[in-house]
Amino acid sequence: MNIPDPFSLSYHNARLLQESLKSNDLLAGKLVHARIIKSGLHFSVILLNNLMNFYSRTGCFSDAQLLFDEMPVKTIFTWNTLLSAYSRQAKMSEATEIFRKIPNRDSVSWSTIIMGYNQLGRFESALKVFDKMIKERVIPTQYTITSVLASCAAIKALDIGREVHSFVVKFGLSGYVSVVNSLLNMYAKSGDPMMTRVIFDRMEYRNTSSWNVMISLHMQHGRVDLARGQFERMSERDIVTWNSMIAGYNQHGHDFDALCTFSNMLRDSLLLPDKFTFINALSACANLEMLKLGKQIHARIASTNFDTYGPVGNALISMYAKSGGVQIAQKIVEQSGISRLDVIAFTSLLDGYVKLGDLKPARQIFDSLKDLDVVAWTAMIVGYLQNGLNTDAVELFRLMVRDGPKPNNFTLAAMLSVSSSLTSLNHGKEIHASAIRTGQASLVSVNNALITMYARVGSINCARKVFNQIHWFRDVVSWTSMIMALAQHGLGEEALEHFEKLLAAGIKPDHITYVGVLSACTHVGLVEQGRRYYNMMKDFHKIEPTLSHYALMVDLLGRAGLTQEAYDFIEKMPIEPDAVTWGSLLSSCKVYKNVELGKVAAERLLLIDPDNSGAYSALANLYSVCGKWDDAAKIRKLMKDGGVKKEQGITWVQIKNKFHVFGAEDGLHPQKDEIYKMMAKIWEDIKKMGFVPDTESVLHDLEEEVKEQMLRHHSEKLAIAFALISTPENTTLRIMKNLRVCNDCHSAIKFISKLSGREIIVRDATRFHHFKDGFCSCRDYW
């Protein structure tokens, strides 16, 4: 009988352990272990090392540790095996302790601990270990270098990455494709595309990973055509290649190309889509609102039993919500559980409900989610805003300040727009204070929103103060916001001074800046300056005029009495004029009693917007001003017969955080008796001061006494009377009106400001009027 020699037995048992490891058969491995003991080979260092490796890789760490502790002789392989076991399990404190005890650490020991830190995301720790490795003069291997370069790429440590590159050259590791690919990846992700290109061009052999890095780099920098060129040159493509193209197209707005690439992958490749493929394909469907195709992708996901309880599920929710399938999205949420909903899916679902005008289910989901971040809170607030639910937005913001995450600049900008909509100075100041407390007040974007908010609530001085505080950090939006603010408040010359300073600072204005500039010229009648700036916009800054610019030029010319020139300007426009443009001309014709041209403007306006009550009213008023009462009556009859309702003029004022709304001849306010009594007294007092009622403002054929009574009870006068009896002396009154203030009210408020000793700020449909000491900031040009 031939007895196998110990070496053959050891080799045979080692091979059996390898086979057991490949099949992950723990029982077979333990049988081999028993056989080794029975054969008397349990002192063989090679076999014990193999056993340790088997136990550590099959998850039996206690067995591996016990085996290690009982080993009489431990080689460097023994130590490295145990070290690798703990590193793979992310038990870095234990791994570090073992690393310190290794008597003669080799490159594998160092590489193992570096890889452990890298896989755990502790990239700085990995780089520190590598630094010690070099100082101890241990030569790194290609595995060390790839892990270190991965850490550099993760934290964009370009300078350290360049040092590692020098070690690659020094130690002759440039021949390893994995090392060169790691260099490519590091330079690409760390912001050095030029070096990435140089390395790629010099590579003698490129594998799929090499090409993938270049495709990702081009997509990262928006060079879609170059990425496509690299893609088409590849002879072999893996799933990363296809995903890089699909994701790149999707991220840069080429959603149709993303879906075509997805289709080509399914048709031409044997590769199966992974979760990244599906997520990006669904995102493209969402952006294009392609519900039918999205459903087909959903069907494919379901047919392959793909896990939809994570990112893929959220992508499905987003796709359905954005593509008009909110109810299906809601069902997926209910099936997968609200706790799995991410911010992107929630905001998409919220957008879907906003489109439907139903925010109740969105709020229910919002309230049920835990640990919501600032993006989710902001999305819910913006959802309320988009649906006109300003009060709900304010309440949610206050809840966020009290119990939620710190608001960011987007949250504050949204809330400042609420303050602007509500024309609430107190609320705007509350948001400003919150910005200061949370450290957001130093951000230019927040300050720009503050400038706009203060201007819209009537506090131009506060807007100036904010603008002056960001002297060194102003961008084009800052300047534009201030120019627009000054224009709205009738401070045209100051607005144009700011525009000249913008140009002197070397900042290029955009089309919105020029809207502010032309608006400034319009509000103060600077016709020649307006013409000059309009030409500068076109000829010097090469900005193509939009309908807003054309309408402002028509308004500028019309307000100055150049109604024929304004009409000629419209006729020469290269694009079709809109309702605003014709409306501007019609308003000017009414002021300057140009009946023929006003009739043309009204007819053209009604062709665009047949239900525009303003056009009928303006034309009727124009006839009335010119004494053509029969024609005015015909127009009003046309309105009535056509079911066109005239927009009701209303005025509102905020007293102690409550809004009080008034209409003409208002009899609904609980303090109406006091208000009418106060208004009667004011009326008599200002008439004694020299005020003469403008009965021509009453565009009806009535007795003078009746006209005067109607004028006395206009909504803005009633609001002012109420404000005077409801606020302390010397308080500034802030009055808002939805339509243009009439001539009589404008004249009366000048006298009231002098009578009361109050500043009265009135915002009408087009601008702000600051009344003080009997004068108005508009200089009677509005």
Side-chain angles (χ1 to χ4, degrees), residues 545-608:
T546 65
L547 280 169
S548 296
H549 300 115
Y550 289 124
L552 282 165
M553 284 302 295
V554 171
D555 200 21
L556 173 67
L557 296 169
R559 283 173 186 261
L562 304 172
T563 50
Q564 186 60 48
E565 185 179 345
Y567 175 74
D568 293 340
F569 181 89
I570 294 175
E571 291 296 296
K572 293 175 184 176
M573 283 172 56
I575 56 178
E576 194 67 28
D578 61 358
V580 176
T581 308
W582 286 114
S584 296
L585 179 60
L586 179 55
S587 297
S588 299
C589 289
K590 187 188 82 170
V591 173
Y592 291 99
K593 301 181 181 179
N594 190 331
V595 176
E596 294 306 315
L597 202 53
K599 187 177 179 182
V600 172
E603 288 172 352
R604 298 291 289 272
L605 173 53
L606 290 170
L607 281 174
I608 299 170

Side-chain angles (χ1 to χ4, degrees), residues 610-630:
D611 297 323
N612 191 307
S613 63
Y616 287 103
S617 296
L619 186 57
N621 291 342
L622 173 56
Y623 283 135
S624 298
V625 167
C626 297
K628 298 188 175 186
W629 302 108
D630 291 341

Side-chain angles (χ1 to χ4, degrees), residues 12 51 88 124 133 173-174 189 230 389 421 443 480 488 501 524 558 612 622 649 657 679 688 704 721 730 740 774:
H12 180 65
L51 272 170
R88 280 199 306 273
E124 290 87 353
M133 177 182 182
L173 299 173
S174 301
K189 290 183 177 177
Q230 299 276 32
L389 301 171
S421 300
L443 297 174
T480 300
Q488 285 177 336
K501 288 177 182 177
V524 290
N612 191 307
L622 173 56
N657 295 321
M679 192 59 239
K688 290 176 184 177
E704 288 295 305
N730 302 318
R740 182 181 181 274

Side-chain angles (χ1 to χ4, degrees), residues 59 61-62 82-98 113 116-117 120 122:
F61 302 107
S62 56
L82 190 64
L83 178 65
S84 178
Y86 282 108
S87 291
R88 280 199 306 273
Q89 287 299 304
K91 297 180 178 180
M92 292 310 295
S93 57
E94 292 91 337
T96 303
E97 189 61 31
I98 293 167
I113 203 77
Y117 280 128
L120 200 59
R122 294 172 60 181

